[in-house]
Amino acid sequence: MNDERYDEALACLDAFEQMNRSRDHDGWLARSAASEREFILHEAGRYEEALQAADVAAQLGCENVTYRWSNGSAKALSLQALGRHREALAAFEAAFSHQDPRYASAIPYYLPRLVELSENVGQPVDEKWRRVAEAGAEDFAVEMPVRDSLGESMRALAEMTQEMPSKREREWKATHGGGAGGDAP
């Protein structure tokens, strides 16, 4: 990838997946390889193929909502690169509409993409996303920033929580003594 040898990277990925397919009892490898394939194709500027790979990854299922959000975000990036901005926003919103309070700490990470995609179609962020952003703020035990627009508030929330541990992480640390363990959230 660093040398922009994308076909070789894809061949390595395919070979690795093929060699380890018999060990992939839960489908994790297939899902991960499909997602990585999408990333490589996008980086190579092969956006139509990247869209197809994103669809394959989505069809293989998502372990949790953050994987769905990541897939929707990746699909939106390729659509955006193709100049299909309304479709990009729709793809992202469709993925982001799946919410699970167990993953609220990941919400702020995705908010800037939502704002950018909305701006690309010349519209403000839809108010329906305010409560989602507020859930993200709540998970970090911070107030939702108040700015001139919802989009600006979302960007501010993403920035302020970037290096901050979520409420869940702080609770885990408090109950487990703060040591680094394999079960950390």
Side-chain angles (χ1 to χ4, degrees):
M1 289 284 297
N2 290 341
D3 295 332
E4 298 181 2
R5 295 169 26 204
Y6 302 112
D7 288 329
E8 288 178 56
L10 289 166
C12 287
L13 178 63
D14 290 341
F16 181 82
E17 184 180 13
Q18 184 63 36
M19 287 177 9
N20 292 286
R21 186 164 287 161
S22 63
R23 300 177 195 183
D24 191 19
H25 305 293
D26 63 359
W28 178 87
L29 177 61
R31 288 189 303 274
S32 298
S35 179
E36 189 64 22
R37 186 170 293 105
E38 182 281 325
F39 175 74
I40 293 169
L41 290 165
H42 181 85
E43 289 297 305
R46 294 161 56 180
Y47 305 121
E48 288 291 345
E49 291 175 80
L51 284 174
Q52 293 171 1
D55 287 340
V56 168
Q59 290 169 6
L60 291 171
C62 299
E63 288 182 49
N64 62 51
V65 295
T66 62
Y67 286 83
R68 185 177 308 274
W69 299 344
S70 181
N71 179 266
S73 184
K75 188 172 182 174
L77 276 176
S78 290
L79 287 164
Q80 188 176 3
L82 292 166
R84 295 160 53 185
H85 299 292
R86 288 210 180 276
E87 288 177 73
L89 177 60
F92 181 82
E93 286 187 326
F96 203 51
S97 68
H98 296 269
Q99 292 292 317
D100 184 334
R102 294 176 295 170
Y103 301 97
S105 64
I107 290 170
Y109 174 81
Y110 290 92
L111 295 176
R113 176 64 37 87
L114 176 61
V115 175
E116 175 189 342
L117 293 167
S118 296
E119 288 173 345
N120 286 345
V121 296
Q123 67 186 45
V125 174
D126 192 309
E127 275 296 318
K128 69 183 177 187
W129 298 112
R130 180 178 298 280
R131 181 62 201 122
V132 173
E134 289 170 346
E138 184 178 311
D139 200 71
F140 283 91
V142 298
E143 292 291 320
M144 179 73 178
V146 177
R147 301 292 188 272
D148 290 340
S149 70
L150 177 57
E152 290 176 30
S153 295
M154 289 176 162
R155 281 191 171 125
L157 176 63
E159 187 176 322
M160 77 188 305
T161 58
Q162 195 170 22
E163 299 295 323
M164 182 185 287
S166 69
K167 181 172 69 175
R168 185 171 160 214
E169 290 169 324
R170 288 190 308 277
E171 288 170 356
W172 187 91
K173 189 174 181 178
T175 59
H176 292 83
D183 293 331

